[in-house]
Amino acid sequence: MNDTRVLVVDDNKMVARTLATMVANNAPVELRATAFGLFYLMSGLSMLVASALAGFLWDTWGASATFMAGIFFSLIALLLLIKQKGFKPPG
């Protein structure tokens, strides 16, 4: 169990670094601090909402409902990405 938690934490750090780099590269210099503040505010709020929703689903309908919701939200994100203008699949 401990190995799985370490993997998840490392994965989260990799994604957070990549997103923070995107914020730094795309925000104007004079608004960079504001951009980082908004980025971390939205990250924290989304983690709070996701954790509360996952806990509710787990307590109400069990573990499978929590994982099914994860699949559902991942598919929605994928569809939104594909729908974006200029999207080119890798390869």
Side-chain angles (χ1 to χ4, degrees), residues 12-77:
N12 191 21
K13 286 181 183 177
M14 286 186 341
V15 171
R17 267 189 225 135
T18 303
L19 292 174
T21 301
M22 288 175 55
V23 170
N25 290 341
N26 293 308
V29 175
E30 63 275 4
L31 294 175
R32 195 165 288 161
T34 302
F36 273 111
L38 286 172
F39 168 71
Y40 285 112
L41 173 69
M42 297 309 294
S43 295
L45 289 175
S46 62
M47 282 190 269
L48 177 68
V49 170
S51 297
L53 179 62
F56 171 76
L57 290 172
W58 193 292
D59 288 342
T60 307
W61 291 291
S64 61
T66 306
F67 289 103
M68 294 300 284
I71 292 168
F72 173 74
F73 288 121
S74 295
L75 289 174
I76 288 176

Side-chain angles (χ1 to χ4, degrees), residues 66-91:
T66 306
F67 289 103
M68 294 300 284
I71 292 168
F72 173 74
F73 288 121
S74 295
L75 289 174
I76 288 176
L78 178 64
L79 291 174
L80 289 173
L81 177 67
I82 291 171
K83 189 178 176 183
Q84 237 181 355
K85 284 186 177 182
F87 173 75
K88 295 177 187 169

